[in-house]
Amino acid sequence: MTRSLPPHIEAAFWLLLTAVGYFLLASLSLYATKGADNIAAIWPPSGYFLALLLLMPARAQITAFIGMAMASIAANMLVGGSSLLLSAGFTVANACEAVIALGVLRIGGPGDLSFMVPRAVAKFCAAAIIGSLTGGVFAALLTGSGLNFFLSWTTTVALGMLIVAPMIVIFARMIASGALQNVPMRMKLESAAIMLGVALMTGATFSQSLFPGTFVPCLAVILAAFRLGPFGAAASVLVVTIVASLMTVHGYGPIAAIDAQPKVHVYFLQFYLLALLFTALTLAALTVMHRRLAKRLEQSNRLLLQAEAAALVGHWRVDLQNWTIQWSDQAYRVHGLEPGTPVDVEYSVDRYVDEDGQEVRRIIEDAVRTGEPFQYQGRIRRPDGVIRHVKSHGSVEFSRRGRAIAIFGTVQDVTEVVENARVLEAARSAAERIANTDMLTGLPNRRHTLAELEAALIEARDGEGALAVAIFDIDHFKRVNDNYGHAAGDAVIRRVAHRARGVLRDVDLIGRVGGEEFVGILRGSSAQAAEIVADRVRKAVESEAGLANDAPRVTISVGLARFDGDSDIEELMHRADQALYRAKREGRNRVGMAA
């Protein structure tokens, strides 16, 4: 907040702020509460000075130490009645403890101290305790005092740092960041009411000694820490400290009523305040962390729900111990239900069609038994009767003892994916049929026929049956085109194809390999059987049954070749082709068998 000031004005500002504040707090502490060895029950100046060191820029710290030294010596001499030498010794001890505490806090980097992180709170407490122990050692050595003085010094300084510093640091940062201005008036009034309640409850508790009610202020402090966070924790503990210290050192309250020496009262009060402070700061930090985690979790859940809705993916969890199931909103939508509709495990499985439901049960049972992740895809029937395709991935949750306690999984509506795949497969099949089909006759074309012949040849070579190849073409087909035209020629080719296919067996295949030429693949046919089948085809083509009077009459010549165990496609086709030419030379309309 002084960053924009010139260096000399900035140094003067921190010097003045340190000196005035330190002197006032030291004077009030020495005047109001004096314990054994003339040491106050709590020493707020140490906390005030440590807070300023944490807030000010490093370049102003030297002048701050000068201001602290002047204020400390003045307060100890004017109010505490100490000599100059003794006051200087106290001042050196206070300076050492501040240096040590600041050094411990700077370990690991010069980052700002946060009272909203439990680890940072623990580090601050450790720094305050180490610093106060160091100051106690220096004070005891410089003054030649004993163990009681060392303990009294250490505890009062530690309390001063732990109680005062957090309050000042948090409040100053709230002002500097503008957070205090953004606090709603309702919250400010609530904060004031809580602090007033803390003061009243502490005053009521420490104004009497009849009832040991030191736990009562703890309730108010816990409320302040829970509602107001670290600021509420620090402020409420400071209020308790002021009220309880004033009442106790003047002989009021349950602590002062303890039958013991006054220094025991001081030690017990210090222990009480330390326990209260540790509880409040830790609770406040944990509460802030819990709220942040809850906010992040809420945001993550919101993003998860948005992602699930966009991807049509829901999630579910089955509790195997109670046999209950939980669905996300998107899981309900996938199943065609309103979110929140009561469902059970059996209902979710029964949504699958019968054959898919049995498989789903088996997969889940296997997953519980083996502990392995699983996935399955099936069809569910929505309440409106619509069938949807869904896909699930899941895994089994185990207890620490290795027992399966739950199943967690996702469910995704993949109906469009399945339909698109089906359309693509249909298109691929159609394209493949077109690529493999002769458009004029509907028979397999040359490429498909030769591929089928290759497969049949492999089967025959592996001993899976006999094989014969028949090549035939239409006799004097050129005359048909010349005399009747190409349209009539195409009709003849279609008629030959239809009749040939009609008399072949189911295991046989006939394809058009070009022009008026056809190839028949006769599986499981011996030489005699192949010749019978080929002649049946020839007679079917020759038959005039069902022909119009003006339709061309045609015949075919057939060449047969039987697979002998060693032939390849080229040789087998060549032998059948030679048999075809021999049939043509011998007068056509006949079957020729290769040697």
Side-chain angles (χ1 to χ4, degrees):
M1 54 187 170
T2 62
R3 188 171 298 173
S4 60
L5 298 176
H8 62 284
I9 297 180
E10 181 183 59
F13 169 81
W14 287 109
L15 173 66
L16 185 63
L17 187 63
T18 303
V20 173
Y22 197 98
F23 177 79
L24 290 176
L25 289 174
S27 299
L28 288 173
S29 299
L30 291 172
Y31 178 80
T33 55
K34 294 184 179 181
D37 298 317
N38 205 34
I39 299 297
I42 177 175
W43 190 244
S46 294
Y48 175 77
F49 184 48
L50 179 60
L52 293 185
L53 291 176
L54 291 172
L55 294 172
M56 70 178 62
R59 57 181 177 271
Q61 290 178 352
I62 294 179
T63 57
F65 273 98
I66 295 174
M68 170 265 177
M70 294 188 301
S72 176
I73 292 174
N76 278 286
M77 292 180 63
L78 297 177
V79 182
S82 301
S83 64
L84 176 62
L85 184 60
L86 186 60
S87 299
F90 291 159
T91 301
V92 171
N94 288 137
C96 290
E97 64 202 17
V99 171
I100 296 300
L102 188 64
V104 173
L105 289 174
R106 292 291 184 258
I107 294 176
D112 290 339
L113 175 65
S114 173
F115 291 97
M116 297 184 181
V117 180
R119 182 178 297 178
V121 172
K123 186 177 181 180
F124 171 75
C125 293
I129 293 173
I130 294 173
S132 62
L133 287 172
T134 304
V137 171
F138 272 92
L141 293 176
L142 291 174
T143 59
S145 302
L147 178 62
N148 288 335
F149 178 83
F150 164 77
L151 293 176
S152 180
W153 179 286
T154 300
T155 53
T156 53
V157 169
L159 275 173
M161 289 184 176
L162 291 170
I163 294 176
V164 177
M167 174 65 187
I168 297 176
V169 171
I170 295 173
F171 191 71
R173 287 177 178 171
M174 290 176 65
I175 295 176
S177 64
L180 194 61
Q181 298 177 355
N182 297 328
V183 176
M185 181 57 65
R186 180 187 59 81
M187 182 59 70
K188 292 180 180 179
L189 293 176
E190 181 181 356
S191 302
I194 291 176
M195 292 301 110
L196 178 61
V198 172
L200 292 176
M201 293 177 72
T202 306
T205 299
F206 283 87
S207 63
Q208 55 82 38
S209 57
L210 183 61
F211 301 103
T214 52
F215 67 90
V216 176
C218 299
L219 302 177
V221 170
I222 291 175
L223 175 62
F226 179 76
R227 289 292 299 157
L228 307 178
F231 172 77
S236 60
V237 172
L238 181 61
V239 170
V240 173
T241 299
I242 294 172
V243 175
S245 298
L246 289 174
M247 302 295 286
T248 300
V249 298
H250 286 90
Y252 298 102
I255 295 179
I258 298 176
D259 186 13
Q261 297 179 1
K263 70 178 180 180
V264 175
H265 298 164
V266 174
Y267 287 150
F268 189 87
L269 175 63
Q270 291 170 339
F271 173 78
Y272 172 76
L273 295 175
L274 280 174
L276 189 62
L277 177 70
F278 290 152
T279 302
L281 286 181
T282 303
L283 175 62
L286 290 175
T287 301
V288 171
M289 179 177 292
H290 176 268
R291 289 171 180 170
R292 287 179 176 176
L293 291 176
K295 188 175 181 179
R296 291 179 184 175
L297 180 60
E298 180 183 358
Q299 183 179 12
S300 298
N301 286 337
R302 184 169 61 253
L303 295 176
L304 175 61
L305 293 177
Q306 293 175 356
E308 286 187 348
L312 300 180
V313 178
H315 67 268
W316 52 268
R317 184 179 185 275
V318 175
D319 187 331
L320 296 177
Q321 295 177 327
N322 299 318
W323 200 238
T324 57
I325 189 170
Q326 295 176 333
W327 282 358
S328 68
D329 289 352
Q330 188 57 34
Y332 278 104
R333 296 187 185 101
V334 169
H335 287 78
L337 296 174
E338 285 295 325
T341 302
V343 294
D344 55 26
V345 179
E346 294 301 326
Y347 176 87
S348 61
V349 177
D350 290 343
R351 290 305 89 199
Y352 287 89
V353 298
D354 292 341
E355 55 269 29
D356 292 346
Q358 296 175 2
E359 180 65 11
V360 168
R361 290 179 185 274
R362 185 192 63 78
I363 292 174
I364 293 179
E365 290 173 358
D366 289 345
V368 174
R369 179 173 49 82
T370 62
E372 296 294 327
F374 60 90
Q375 63 176 351
Y376 54 83
Q377 183 169 323
R379 295 159 295 168
I380 62 172
R381 188 184 305 276
R382 288 182 170 181
D384 57 5
V386 175
I387 299 294
R388 304 293 290 182
H389 293 264
V390 297
K391 186 176 184 179
S392 285
H393 294 79
S395 58
V396 180
E397 298 178 19
F398 293 93
S399 65
R400 293 182 179 179
R401 297 181 179 180
R403 180 183 177 185
I405 58 174
I407 306 175
F408 178 84
T410 60
V411 57
Q412 180 181 14
D413 189 331
V414 294
T415 303
E416 292 186 4
V417 176
V418 172
E419 293 299 329
N420 290 339
R422 184 176 298 166
V423 171
L424 289 175
E425 178 61 23
R428 187 196 65 79
S429 299
E432 186 176 351
R433 285 195 303 271
I434 292 173
N436 293 329
T437 302
D438 175 60
M439 301 305 296
L440 179 61
T441 63
L443 296 178
N445 59 15
R446 179 182 182 86
R447 184 175 70 87
H448 190 197
T449 301
L450 294 180
E452 288 292 328
L453 180 57
E454 177 69 29
L457 197 65
I458 293 174
E459 293 175 3
R461 187 176 287 119
D462 292 339
E464 297 183 12
L467 173 67
V469 174
I471 298 179
F472 61 92
D473 64 10
I474 303 172
D475 297 329
H476 301 300
F477 182 71
K478 185 176 182 304
R479 295 178 185 176
V480 175
N481 282 332
D482 292 343
N483 296 332
Y484 294 91
H486 288 284
D490 289 345
V492 168
I493 291 175
R494 284 195 294 269
R495 187 177 78 218
V496 170
H498 175 72
R499 291 191 172 186
R501 183 167 51 188
V503 298
L504 287 178
R505 302 167 301 174
D506 292 339
V507 296
D508 300 329
L509 179 140
I510 182 173
R512 183 186 177 208
V513 295
E516 71 279 14
E517 187 176 15
F518 300 83
V519 171
I521 303 173
L522 311 178
R523 286 183 169 89
S525 297
S526 63
Q528 183 179 3
E531 192 170 1
I532 293 173
V533 172
D535 195 58
R536 187 189 305 150
V537 173
R538 182 192 64 78
K539 291 178 180 179
V541 173
E542 182 184 23
S543 173
E544 296 183 2
L547 287 181
N549 292 331
D550 58 347
R553 271 60 173 172
V554 296
T555 60
I556 61 171
S557 297
V558 184
L560 274 175
R562 184 175 180 274
F563 176 62
D564 57 7
D566 296 324
S567 304
D568 55 18
I569 289 181
E570 289 77 11
E571 182 180 353
L572 193 60
M573 291 286 288
H574 177 71
R575 289 168 52 205
D577 201 44
Q578 291 298 316
L580 171 63
Y581 282 114
R582 187 167 59 252
K584 285 181 176 293
R585 286 196 303 269
E586 293 177 356
R588 291 184 170 83
N589 191 21
R590 65 184 61 227
V591 176
M593 176 65 74

